Amino acid sequence: MEKVDLSNIRPYGDRLNDGMVELSFTFPIPPSAEAKEAARKYVEQLGFKEANVVWMEGMGEAFTFFVVYAKSEKAIDMRTVRVPKIKYPIMDYKTLTAFMERVLTRPLVVVGACTGSDAHTVGIDAIFNMKGYNMDYGLERYPLFKAINLRAQVDNRDLVKKAVELGADAILVSQIVTQRNVHVENLKELKRIIERTKGLKPHLIKIVGGPRIDHAFARKIGFDAGFGPGTLPSHVASYIVHEYLRRVKRAPKGRATGGLCRG
Ligand code: B12
Protein backbone atom coordinates (compact mmCIF):
# COMPACT_ATOMS: atom_id res chain seq x y z
CA MET A 1 0.00 0.00 0.00
CA GLU A 2 1.10 3.56 -0.70
CA LYS A 3 2.50 5.47 2.27
CA VAL A 4 -0.23 7.32 4.20
CA ASP A 5 0.29 11.08 4.48
CA LEU A 6 -0.81 11.95 8.04
CA SER A 7 -1.29 15.59 7.14
CA ASN A 8 -3.89 14.65 4.52
CA ILE A 9 -6.16 11.80 5.71
CA ARG A 10 -9.24 11.12 3.62
CA PRO A 11 -11.79 8.28 3.82
CA TYR A 12 -10.76 4.98 2.20
CA GLY A 13 -13.26 3.24 -0.10
CA ASP A 14 -11.29 0.97 -2.38
CA ARG A 15 -8.28 3.18 -3.07
CA LEU A 16 -6.14 5.36 -0.84
CA ASN A 17 -7.58 8.88 -0.53
CA ASP A 18 -10.58 8.23 -2.80
CA GLY A 19 -12.73 10.00 -0.16
CA MET A 20 -15.62 7.51 -0.34
CA VAL A 21 -18.04 7.54 2.63
CA GLU A 22 -21.23 5.71 3.53
CA LEU A 23 -24.05 7.70 5.12
CA SER A 24 -27.33 6.46 6.54
CA PHE A 25 -30.36 8.48 7.57
CA THR A 26 -34.15 8.52 7.63
CA PHE A 27 -36.62 10.89 5.95
CA PRO A 28 -40.15 11.35 7.36
CA ILE A 29 -41.76 10.41 4.00
CA PRO A 30 -42.80 7.04 2.49
CA PRO A 31 -40.43 5.33 0.00
CA SER A 32 -40.76 6.35 -3.68
CA ALA A 33 -38.58 7.22 -6.65
CA GLU A 34 -38.89 10.87 -5.56
CA ALA A 35 -37.83 10.03 -2.00
CA LYS A 36 -34.75 8.27 -3.37
CA GLU A 37 -33.84 11.23 -5.57
CA ALA A 38 -34.43 13.61 -2.63
CA ALA A 39 -31.99 11.58 -0.53
CA ARG A 40 -29.36 11.74 -3.29
CA LYS A 41 -29.81 15.50 -3.74
CA TYR A 42 -29.71 16.04 0.01
CA VAL A 43 -26.34 14.30 0.32
CA GLU A 44 -24.97 16.41 -2.53
CA GLN A 45 -26.27 19.52 -0.73
CA LEU A 46 -24.15 18.44 2.24
CA GLY A 47 -21.14 18.97 0.00
CA PHE A 48 -20.55 15.37 -1.11
CA LYS A 49 -20.00 14.47 -4.78
CA GLU A 50 -21.17 11.46 -6.81
CA ALA A 51 -23.94 10.55 -4.33
CA ASN A 52 -25.48 7.15 -5.00
CA VAL A 53 -28.44 5.76 -3.00
CA VAL A 54 -27.59 2.08 -2.58
CA TRP A 55 -30.38 1.14 -0.19
CA MET A 56 -33.88 2.47 0.45
CA GLU A 57 -36.32 0.80 2.83
CA GLY A 58 -39.69 1.84 4.24
CA MET A 59 -39.88 2.08 8.03
CA GLY A 60 -43.50 1.92 9.12
CA GLU A 61 -45.86 3.85 6.85
CA ALA A 62 -44.38 7.31 6.96
CA PHE A 63 -40.60 6.92 7.07
CA THR A 64 -37.82 5.80 4.72
CA PHE A 65 -34.32 4.68 5.60
CA PHE A 66 -31.47 5.30 3.14
CA VAL A 67 -27.87 4.22 2.73
CA VAL A 68 -25.92 6.49 0.40
CA TYR A 69 -22.35 6.19 -0.93
CA ALA A 70 -20.71 9.47 -1.80
CA LYS A 71 -17.36 11.11 -2.26
CA SER A 72 -15.85 13.73 0.00
CA GLU A 73 -13.07 16.05 -1.00
CA LYS A 74 -12.32 17.07 2.58
CA ALA A 75 -9.20 15.88 4.37
CA ILE A 76 -8.03 15.94 7.96
CA ASP A 77 -4.55 16.73 9.26
CA MET A 78 -3.94 14.06 11.89
CA ARG A 79 -1.09 16.12 13.33
CA THR A 80 -3.61 18.67 14.60
CA VAL A 81 -5.86 16.14 16.37
CA ARG A 82 -5.68 16.11 20.18
CA VAL A 83 -7.83 13.96 22.48
CA PRO A 84 -7.69 14.20 26.29
CA LYS A 85 -6.97 10.77 27.79
CA ILE A 86 -6.84 9.40 31.28
CA LYS A 87 -3.29 8.29 31.94
CA TYR A 88 -2.87 5.39 34.33
CA PRO A 89 -1.55 1.84 34.10
CA ILE A 90 -4.14 -0.76 33.17
CA MET A 91 -3.79 -3.94 35.21
CA ASP A 92 -5.66 -7.18 34.70
CA TYR A 93 -7.77 -8.73 37.47
CA LYS A 94 -5.01 -10.84 38.99
CA THR A 95 -2.32 -8.18 38.90
CA LEU A 96 -4.62 -5.48 40.22
CA THR A 97 -5.91 -7.70 43.03
CA ALA A 98 -2.33 -8.40 44.16
CA PHE A 99 -1.49 -4.71 43.83
CA MET A 100 -4.52 -3.69 45.91
CA GLU A 101 -3.56 -6.21 48.60
CA ARG A 102 -0.13 -4.66 48.71
CA VAL A 103 -1.06 -0.98 48.81
CA LEU A 104 -4.51 -0.68 50.39
CA THR A 105 -5.33 -0.90 54.07
CA ARG A 106 -9.09 -1.28 53.52
CA PRO A 107 -11.51 -2.09 50.70
CA LEU A 108 -12.45 0.81 48.42
CA VAL A 109 -16.16 1.53 48.37
CA VAL A 110 -17.70 2.12 44.94
CA VAL A 111 -21.37 2.91 44.35
CA GLY A 112 -22.89 2.90 40.88
CA ALA A 113 -26.19 3.36 39.07
CA CYS A 114 -27.80 4.32 35.83
CA THR A 115 -29.65 7.45 36.93
CA GLY A 116 -32.61 9.58 35.90
CA SER A 117 -35.21 8.08 33.61
CA ASP A 118 -32.59 5.89 31.89
CA ALA A 119 -33.60 2.23 32.22
CA HIS A 120 -30.53 0.64 30.60
CA THR A 121 -28.85 -1.64 33.14
CA VAL A 122 -26.53 -3.64 30.86
CA GLY A 123 -23.69 -1.08 30.79
CA ILE A 124 -23.46 -0.54 34.55
CA ASP A 125 -23.89 -4.30 35.14
CA ALA A 126 -21.01 -4.98 32.73
CA ILE A 127 -18.73 -2.93 34.97
CA PHE A 128 -20.02 -4.22 38.32
CA ASN A 129 -21.20 -7.77 37.77
CA MET A 130 -19.25 -10.51 39.57
CA LYS A 131 -19.35 -12.70 36.43
CA GLY A 132 -17.82 -9.89 34.41
CA TYR A 133 -18.06 -8.72 30.83
CA ASN A 134 -16.09 -9.84 27.79
CA MET A 135 -13.92 -12.25 29.83
CA ASP A 136 -13.11 -9.54 32.39
CA TYR A 137 -14.39 -9.78 35.97
CA GLY A 138 -16.56 -6.95 37.30
CA LEU A 139 -15.85 -4.82 40.38
CA GLU A 140 -17.98 -7.08 42.61
CA ARG A 141 -15.42 -9.83 42.11
CA TYR A 142 -12.46 -7.91 43.52
CA PRO A 143 -11.82 -8.76 47.18
CA LEU A 144 -10.76 -5.18 47.91
CA PHE A 145 -13.70 -3.39 46.36
CA LYS A 146 -16.95 -3.08 48.23
CA ALA A 147 -19.05 -2.63 45.10
CA ILE A 148 -22.72 -1.61 45.29
CA ASN A 149 -24.73 -1.46 42.06
CA LEU A 150 -28.10 0.26 42.48
CA ARG A 151 -28.96 -0.58 38.83
CA ALA A 152 -31.22 1.66 36.69
CA GLN A 153 -33.75 4.53 36.94
CA VAL A 154 -32.15 5.60 40.20
CA ASP A 155 -32.80 9.12 41.41
CA ASN A 156 -29.56 11.14 41.58
CA ARG A 157 -30.35 12.02 45.21
CA ASP A 158 -30.63 8.34 46.14
CA LEU A 159 -27.27 7.57 44.53
CA VAL A 160 -25.58 10.39 46.46
CA LYS A 161 -27.39 9.41 49.68
CA LYS A 162 -26.03 5.88 49.30
CA ALA A 163 -22.53 7.25 48.70
CA VAL A 164 -22.72 9.16 52.00
CA GLU A 165 -24.20 6.20 53.88
CA LEU A 166 -21.46 3.81 52.70
CA GLY A 167 -18.57 6.31 52.74
CA ALA A 168 -17.96 5.84 49.02
CA ASP A 169 -14.54 6.44 47.50
CA ALA A 170 -16.00 6.52 43.99
CA ILE A 171 -19.38 7.16 42.44
CA LEU A 172 -20.06 5.57 39.04
CA VAL A 173 -22.91 6.76 36.88
CA SER A 174 -24.09 5.24 33.64
CA GLN A 175 -25.86 7.32 30.96
CA ILE A 176 -27.05 5.45 27.91
CA VAL A 177 -29.91 7.55 26.59
CA THR A 178 -28.59 10.81 25.14
CA GLN A 179 -31.62 11.87 23.09
CA ARG A 180 -32.18 15.61 23.36
CA ASN A 181 -29.12 15.79 25.64
CA VAL A 182 -31.10 14.33 28.54
CA HIS A 183 -27.81 12.95 29.91
CA VAL A 184 -26.26 16.41 30.07
CA GLU A 185 -29.07 17.78 32.23
CA ASN A 186 -29.07 14.68 34.40
CA LEU A 187 -25.31 14.76 34.97
CA LYS A 188 -25.38 18.47 35.76
CA GLU A 189 -28.06 17.76 38.35
CA LEU A 190 -25.98 14.96 39.86
CA LYS A 191 -22.97 17.26 40.00
CA ARG A 192 -25.02 19.95 41.80
CA ILE A 193 -26.32 17.44 44.33
CA ILE A 194 -22.79 16.16 45.01
CA GLU A 195 -21.55 19.73 45.54
CA ARG A 196 -24.34 20.51 47.99
CA THR A 197 -24.21 17.26 49.94
CA LYS A 198 -22.33 17.10 53.23
CA GLY A 199 -20.66 13.92 54.39
CA LEU A 200 -19.15 12.75 51.10
CA LYS A 201 -15.47 11.77 51.16
CA PRO A 202 -13.34 14.77 50.09
CA HIS A 203 -11.45 12.57 47.62
CA LEU A 204 -14.67 11.15 46.05
CA ILE A 205 -13.90 10.07 42.47
CA LYS A 206 -16.73 10.86 40.04
CA ILE A 207 -16.93 8.60 36.99
CA VAL A 208 -19.40 8.57 34.12
CA GLY A 209 -19.76 5.96 31.39
CA GLY A 210 -21.93 5.10 28.41
CA PRO A 211 -21.84 4.54 24.64
CA ARG A 212 -21.69 8.25 23.85
CA ILE A 213 -19.46 9.28 26.71
CA ASP A 214 -15.76 10.07 26.41
CA HIS A 215 -13.18 11.48 28.75
CA ALA A 216 -13.27 14.99 27.24
CA PHE A 217 -17.04 15.20 27.73
CA ALA A 218 -16.80 13.92 31.31
CA ARG A 219 -14.17 16.51 32.22
CA LYS A 220 -16.14 19.29 30.57
CA ILE A 221 -19.20 18.48 32.63
CA GLY A 222 -17.25 18.36 35.90
CA PHE A 223 -16.59 14.64 36.34
CA ASP A 224 -13.15 13.12 36.88
CA ALA A 225 -13.22 10.49 34.14
CA GLY A 226 -15.40 9.25 31.30
CA PHE A 227 -15.49 5.75 29.82
CA GLY A 228 -17.07 4.89 26.49
CA PRO A 229 -17.88 1.84 24.35
CA GLY A 230 -15.70 -1.22 24.83
CA THR A 231 -14.73 -0.33 28.40
CA LEU A 232 -13.71 -3.36 30.46
CA PRO A 233 -14.22 -3.51 34.22
CA SER A 234 -10.47 -3.82 34.78
CA HIS A 235 -9.93 -0.46 33.01
CA VAL A 236 -12.28 1.19 35.49
CA ALA A 237 -10.91 -0.75 38.47
CA SER A 238 -7.32 0.22 37.57
CA TYR A 239 -8.31 3.87 37.21
CA ILE A 240 -10.13 3.95 40.56
CA VAL A 241 -7.23 2.39 42.47
CA HIS A 242 -4.55 4.60 40.90
CA GLU A 243 -6.63 7.75 41.18
CA TYR A 244 -7.47 6.96 44.81
CA LEU A 245 -3.77 6.47 45.60
CA ARG A 246 -2.90 9.66 43.77
CA ARG A 247 -5.46 11.62 45.78
CA VAL A 248 -4.98 10.03 49.16
CA LYS A 249 -1.33 9.06 49.24
CA ARG A 250 1.59 8.66 46.88
CA ALA A 251 1.04 5.77 44.48
CA PRO A 252 3.68 3.03 44.73
CA LYS A 253 4.89 1.65 41.42
CA GLY A 254 2.85 -1.31 40.13
CA ARG A 255 3.46 -3.58 37.18
CA ALA A 256 1.02 -2.71 34.41
CA THR A 257 -0.18 -5.43 32.07
CA GLY A 258 -1.76 -3.19 29.49
CA GLY A 259 -1.13 0.16 27.86
CA LEU A 260 -2.56 3.42 28.93
CA CYS A 261 -6.35 3.57 29.00
CA ARG A 262 -8.09 5.02 25.97
CA GLY A 263 -10.44 6.95 28.25
C1 B12 B 1 -30.91 -3.40 25.37
C2 B12 B 1 -31.42 -2.02 24.98
C3 B12 B 1 -32.60 -1.59 25.59
C4 B12 B 1 -33.31 -2.39 26.68
C5 B12 B 1 -32.57 -2.16 28.01
C6 B12 B 1 -32.67 -3.37 28.92
C7 B12 B 1 -31.77 -3.24 30.09
N1 B12 B 1 -32.14 -3.91 31.15
O1 B12 B 1 -30.76 -2.56 30.07
C8 B12 B 1 -34.73 -1.74 26.65
C9 B12 B 1 -35.61 -2.54 25.69
C10 B12 B 1 -35.45 -1.63 28.00
C11 B12 B 1 -34.44 -0.38 26.02
C12 B12 B 1 -35.26 0.69 26.13
C13 B12 B 1 -35.06 1.90 25.48
N2 B12 B 1 -34.08 2.20 24.65
CO1 B12 B 1 -32.56 1.05 24.37
N3 B12 B 1 -31.22 -0.02 23.72
C14 B12 B 1 -30.76 -1.22 24.00
C15 B12 B 1 -29.59 -1.62 23.08
C16 B12 B 1 -30.15 -2.56 22.02
C17 B12 B 1 -28.40 -2.30 23.76
C18 B12 B 1 -27.83 -1.55 24.95
C19 B12 B 1 -26.88 -2.47 25.65
O2 B12 B 1 -27.29 -3.25 26.50
N4 B12 B 1 -25.57 -2.44 25.27
C20 B12 B 1 -24.54 -3.34 25.81
C21 B12 B 1 -23.70 -2.63 26.89
C22 B12 B 1 -22.68 -3.60 27.44
O3 B12 B 1 -23.03 -1.56 26.25
P1 B12 B 1 -23.06 -0.08 26.84
O4 B12 B 1 -24.36 0.23 27.45
O5 B12 B 1 -22.53 0.84 25.81
O6 B12 B 1 -21.98 -0.15 28.06
C23 B12 B 1 -20.59 -0.19 27.84
C24 B12 B 1 -19.94 1.20 27.79
O7 B12 B 1 -20.76 2.21 27.27
C25 B12 B 1 -19.50 1.46 29.19
N5 B12 B 1 -20.44 1.95 30.20
C26 B12 B 1 -21.77 2.03 30.21
N6 B12 B 1 -22.20 2.52 31.38
C27 B12 B 1 -21.12 2.75 32.13
C28 B12 B 1 -20.99 3.29 33.41
C29 B12 B 1 -19.72 3.43 33.95
C30 B12 B 1 -19.58 3.99 35.33
C31 B12 B 1 -18.57 3.06 33.20
C32 B12 B 1 -17.23 3.22 33.78
C33 B12 B 1 -18.70 2.53 31.92
C34 B12 B 1 -19.98 2.38 31.40
O8 B12 B 1 -19.09 0.17 29.62
C35 B12 B 1 -19.98 -0.82 29.08
C36 B12 B 1 -19.15 -2.04 28.78
O9 B12 B 1 -18.17 -1.76 27.83
C37 B12 B 1 -29.16 -0.23 22.49
C38 B12 B 1 -28.59 -0.26 21.07
C39 B12 B 1 -27.20 -0.76 21.02
N7 B12 B 1 -26.96 -1.70 20.16
O10 B12 B 1 -26.35 -0.29 21.80
C40 B12 B 1 -30.45 0.56 22.57
C41 B12 B 1 -30.43 2.08 22.81
C42 B12 B 1 -29.40 2.39 23.88
N8 B12 B 1 -31.76 2.38 23.30
C43 B12 B 1 -32.19 3.48 22.84
C44 B12 B 1 -33.46 4.01 23.12
C45 B12 B 1 -33.84 5.26 22.38
C46 B12 B 1 -34.32 3.39 24.00
C47 B12 B 1 -35.72 3.85 24.37
C48 B12 B 1 -35.89 5.35 24.59
C49 B12 B 1 -36.67 3.33 23.28
C50 B12 B 1 -38.10 3.80 23.42
N9 B12 B 1 -38.49 4.70 22.51
O11 B12 B 1 -38.80 3.40 24.31
C51 B12 B 1 -35.98 3.05 25.65
C52 B12 B 1 -35.53 3.86 26.86
C53 B12 B 1 -36.14 3.41 28.11
C54 B12 B 1 -35.55 4.20 29.23
N10 B12 B 1 -36.40 4.78 30.05
O12 B12 B 1 -34.35 4.28 29.36
C55 B12 B 1 -31.19 4.17 21.94
C56 B12 B 1 -30.51 5.35 22.62
C57 B12 B 1 -30.32 6.48 21.63
C58 B12 B 1 -29.75 7.68 22.30
N11 B12 B 1 -28.67 8.17 21.78
O13 B12 B 1 -30.27 8.17 23.26
C59 B12 B 1 -30.28 3.02 21.53
C60 B12 B 1 -28.81 3.41 21.19
C61 B12 B 1 -30.94 2.33 20.31
C62 B12 B 1 -30.96 3.26 19.10
N12 B12 B 1 -30.06 3.11 18.16
O14 B12 B 1 -31.80 4.09 18.95
N13 B12 B 1 -33.27 -0.41 25.38
Side-chain angles (χ1 to χ4, degrees):
M1 193 172 112
E2 272 175 72
K3 194 169 178 324
V4 174
D5 173 6
L6 290 181
S7 69
N8 186 35
I9 296 290
R10 300 177 71 197
Y12 185 106
D14 69 344
R15 273 178 305 107
L16 186 66
N17 288 343
D18 63 11
M20 294 308 292
V21 300
E22 180 183 306
L23 296 105
S24 63
F25 55 92
T26 303
F27 272 164
I29 48 175
S32 65
E34 287 74 18
K36 189 174 174 186
E37 176 58 7
R40 193 193 66 75
K41 285 183 87 156
Y42 178 72
V43 170
E44 294 208 338
Q45 276 179 35
L46 294 176
F48 292 95
K49 306 263 189 275
E50 300 171 28
N52 182 14
V53 180
V54 294
W55 187 256
M56 172 173 80
E57 186 171 349
M59 297 173 73
E61 281 176 10
F63 294 87
T64 307
F65 175 72
F66 303 93
V67 177
V68 183
Y69 291 158
K71 188 183 185 99
S72 164
E73 284 171 358
K74 301 259 187 252
I76 183 91
D77 183 349
M78 278 305 290
R79 300 166 311 173
T80 63
V81 178
R82 301 275 177 276
V83 179
K85 295 194 187 82
I86 329 171
K87 293 198 173 85
Y88 63 95
I90 299 174
M91 296 178 173
D92 62 21
Y93 172 79
K94 261 176 98 177
T95 315
L96 184 61
T97 298
F99 181 69
M100 291 170 84
E101 275 163 7
R102 192 154 60 78
V103 299
L104 296 176
T105 50
R106 63 163 179 86
L108 296 183
V109 181
V110 295
V111 186
C114 185
T115 67
S117 58
D118 199 330
H120 295 84
T121 48
V122 186
I124 193 78
D125 285 352
I127 304 303
F128 271 79
N129 198 292
M130 163 93 56
K131 287 189 213 154
Y133 168 71
N134 223 350
M135 315 281 283
D136 197 67
Y137 290 139
L139 303 182
E140 289 166 359
R141 186 85 172 211
Y142 288 76
L144 282 174
F145 276 127
K146 180 174 173 186
I148 314 295
N149 177 2
L150 303 178
R151 312 218 63 217
Q153 290 195 322
V154 173
D155 191 292
N156 282 324
R157 281 169 301 220
D158 293 336
L159 174 60
V160 176
K161 206 168 137 200
K162 201 71 182 172
V164 174
E165 194 184 306
L166 297 171
D169 298 289
I171 208 163
L172 280 73
V173 61
S174 180
Q175 293 289 269
I176 309 301
V177 177
T178 57
Q179 284 169 328
R180 297 184 181 89
N181 278 338
V182 61
H183 65 309
V184 176
E185 291 314 311
N186 191 48
L187 289 169
K188 281 185 181 165
E189 183 193 74
L190 175 57
K191 179 86 197 322
R192 273 196 302 274
I193 296 170
I194 290 174
E195 280 162 2
R196 285 183 199 150
T197 301
K198 294 202 170 65
L200 287 165
K201 291 258 172 80
H203 62 257
L204 181 75
I205 304 166
K206 300 176 288 295
I207 300 173
V208 54
R212 287 186 177 73
I213 304 293
D214 61 27
H215 187 51
F217 167 79
R219 294 303 305 238
K220 195 165 146 209
I221 208 145
F223 283 72
D224 298 308
F227 290 85
T231 302
L232 294 178
S234 59
H235 296 171
V236 186
S238 298
Y239 168 72
I240 294 171
V241 174
H242 286 90
E243 185 59 18
Y244 168 78
L245 291 171
R246 195 183 69 78
R247 289 177 185 210
V248 173
K249 52 183 175 179
R250 266 176 66 91
K253 293 227 172 352
R255 195 166 57 82
T257 52
L260 291 176
C261 187
R262 309 181 288 168

